[in-house]
Amino acid sequence: MRHGKKVNHLGRTDSHRKAMLANMATSLIKAKRITTTLAKAKALRTYVEPLITKAKNDTTHSRRTVFSYLQDKEVITILFREVAEKVANRPGGYTRIIKLNNRQGDNAEMALIELVDYNTVYGKDVEVKEEKKTTRRGRSKAAAPKAADAKAETAEEVAPAEEAPATEEPKGE
């Protein structure tokens, strides 16, 4: 029975798994998004989200606690300055996992894990494109005369172009 066993061991020893998750968390904080297998992404989410929560409280104790997990001074400064500032009012859910196509070689399920506040595609900064409203009937009555005028203009432009080669006659005797 699996009672109380919620850690995915990922087929690795404890020390290897901790080192791998620390390296992946470092890469995620530096690059803001990484591509990995779905199982590793889910394991990384449970590893990195408590660290981001700790980074919201910038004290010496929380810095030392997070450093014991990540072991990289540059990443700690990025985490406590930039990332914690962006997620200050978010109550959790700092990462997003997006499933990708399976990997070519071994058909492993792949996923993209990213920090939510750093994605400009889903962010609030993106302009919403307004699409033209069309009816099911086709074009509206107001658009019909404009379309007819446009067709007449294109026919006038095409006609002189066709006549120009016809008027040229070979010069000779």
Side-chain angles (χ1 to χ4, degrees):
M1 286 185 266
R2 279 187 48 90
H3 296 305
K5 298 180 181 180
K6 74 180 205 185
V7 175
N8 185 354
H9 296 287
L10 300 172
R12 288 161 172 79
T13 61
D14 188 50
S15 57
H16 184 188
R17 185 176 60 255
K18 286 180 180 174
M20 182 191 67
L21 289 173
N23 290 336
M24 289 175 67
T26 300
S27 300
L28 179 65
I29 292 167
K30 279 185 182 175
K32 311 304 186 239
R33 71 172 57 175
I34 57 172
T35 305
T36 182
T37 62
L38 184 62
K40 286 181 190 175
K42 288 179 178 179
L44 178 62
R45 178 172 49 189
T46 61
Y47 185 86
V48 78
E49 289 209 2
L51 299 180
I52 296 173
T53 303
K54 273 219 180 290
K56 290 163 82 173
N57 183 15
D58 192 3
T59 61
T60 305
H61 178 66
S62 61
R63 279 183 177 264
R64 286 179 177 166
T65 305
V66 172
F67 183 78
S68 71
Y69 285 91
L70 297 181
Q71 299 291 318
D72 191 340
K73 288 182 183 178
E74 294 172 15
V75 172
I76 299 297
T77 56
I78 293 170
L79 179 64
F80 276 83
R81 288 189 184 153
E82 297 173 19
V83 177
E85 186 177 301
K86 277 212 173 192
V87 300
N89 56 358
R90 183 178 289 275
Y94 312 112
T95 57
R96 175 185 295 123
I97 295 176
I98 301 168
K99 291 183 181 181
L100 301 174
N101 292 334
N102 290 359
R103 190 162 50 197
Q104 184 88 32
D106 59 355
N107 204 30
E109 292 179 310
M110 298 300 288
L112 176 83
I113 182 168
E114 63 185 1
L115 296 176
V116 172
D117 293 318
Y118 282 91
N119 190 340
T120 57
V121 175
Y122 299 113
K124 298 168 187 157
D125 329 339
V126 178
E127 300 172 8
V128 178
K129 295 181 183 177
E130 293 185 23
E131 296 180 11
K132 290 190 271 182
K133 294 183 179 178
T134 58
T135 60
R136 293 178 64 185
R137 295 187 306 268
R139 54 187 153 157
S140 64
K141 293 178 182 176
K146 292 179 184 177
D149 293 339
K151 287 182 182 176
E153 289 174 9
T154 55
E156 290 172 7
E157 293 172 2
V158 172
E162 291 175 358
E163 292 174 8
T167 57
E168 292 180 25
E169 296 180 11
K171 293 184 182 178
E173 299 177 40

